[in-house]
């Protein structure tokens, strides 16, 4: 947890100081920073957490040095706009699985707290804010084929994956 506490927005100062020290090192050959910070139950609070991280990175000049992407949950558009203004260039909101029934089964927390439609809206908003080619989502391949309520036919899972690719591209 890197010193983080449940339900606390602020990432501990020593943690951010260490990240900034490592990223500011002159001999790093990294080209990208992918901000992650755990999930919160309140998407506005999660957006606030990522804005705070981006503020620290921007103050250290790191949003100018790196391609910075936000790897959060389905944060509000206003948070995305703040991130963009701070120099963050992309976003990755991991949907995990495409099919609505499988999303509810595989991602019960995301389903109950955020909802699939809000997750999709956040991805669409992110394209508006960060631009085409700067928004990503990750999927856990095969998760819709295991467990009670899973797809019975692998072709159904493949069709779902193809549908997600068509929608997201």
């Amino acid at each position: 947890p890197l010193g983080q506490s449940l339900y606390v927005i602020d990432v501990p100062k020593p943690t951010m100081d260490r990240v900034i020290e490592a990223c500011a090192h002159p001999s790093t050959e990294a080209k990208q920073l992918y901000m992650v910070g755990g999930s919160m139950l309140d998407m506005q609070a999660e957006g606030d957490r990522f804005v705070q991280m981006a503020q620290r990175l921007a103050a250290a000049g790191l949003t100018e040095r790196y391609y910075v992407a936000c790897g959060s949950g389905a944060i509000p558009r206003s948070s995305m706009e703040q991130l963009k203004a701070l120099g963050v260039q992309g976003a990755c909101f991991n949907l995990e699985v495409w099919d609505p029934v499988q999303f509810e089964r595989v991602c019960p927390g995301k389903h109950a707290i955020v909802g699939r439609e809000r997750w999709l809206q956040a991805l669409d908003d992110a394209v508006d804010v960060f631009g085409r080619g700067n928004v990503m989502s990750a999927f856990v391949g095969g998760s819709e084929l295991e467990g009670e309520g899973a797809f019975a036919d692998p072709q159904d899972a493949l069709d779902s994956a193809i549908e997600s690719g068509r929608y997201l591209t």
Side-chain angles (χ1 to χ4, degrees), residues 35 50-51 54 67-73 75-93 122-136:
M35 295 189 307
F50 280 84
V51 167
Y67 177 95
V68 179
C70 172
S72 68
I75 59 176
R77 183 185 183 114
S78 60
S79 298
M80 295 178 214
E81 290 167 346
Q82 287 179 281
L83 291 169
K84 176 74 173 177
L86 289 164
V88 175
Q89 296 171 281
C92 183
F93 307 147
L123 286 166
D124 288 341
D125 287 346
V127 172
D128 289 342
V129 172
F130 297 107
R132 292 181 64 85
N134 292 304
V135 180
M136 301 147 273

Side-chain angles (χ1 to χ4, degrees), residues 92-142:
C92 183
F93 307 147
N94 296 334
L95 193 57
E96 315 297 353
V97 64
W98 180 253
D99 179 80
V101 173
Q102 296 304 316
F103 180 82
E104 181 177 357
R105 184 183 69 81
V106 174
C107 305
K110 285 182 179 183
H111 170 75
I113 295 166
V114 179
R116 182 178 180 274
E117 291 308 312
R118 172 67 196 114
W119 214 269
L120 291 173
Q121 184 60 56
L123 286 166
D124 288 341
D125 287 346
V127 172
D128 289 342
V129 172
F130 297 107
R132 292 181 64 85
N134 292 304
V135 180
M136 301 147 273
S137 187
F139 292 86
V140 180

Side-chain angles (χ1 to χ4, degrees), residues 17-95:
D17 289 346
R18 179 65 182 120
V19 168
I20 289 168
E21 176 188 357
C23 294
H25 195 279
S27 67
T28 183
E29 294 183 27
K31 304 286 186 225
Q32 302 175 22
L33 293 179
Y34 183 60
M35 295 189 307
V36 293
S39 296
M40 300 193 77
L41 298 176
D42 177 328
M43 289 296 100
Q44 181 61 60
E46 187 162 334
D48 293 345
R49 172 184 279 172
F50 280 84
V51 167
Q52 286 180 7
M53 288 190 285
Q55 287 170 331
R56 292 286 313 275
L57 295 175
L62 297 175
T63 55
E64 296 171 17
R65 180 175 175 180
Y66 294 98
Y67 177 95
V68 179
C70 172
S72 68
I75 59 176
R77 183 185 183 114
S78 60
S79 298
M80 295 178 214
E81 290 167 346
Q82 287 179 281
L83 291 169
K84 176 74 173 177
L86 289 164
V88 175
Q89 296 171 281
C92 183
F93 307 147
N94 296 334
L95 193 57

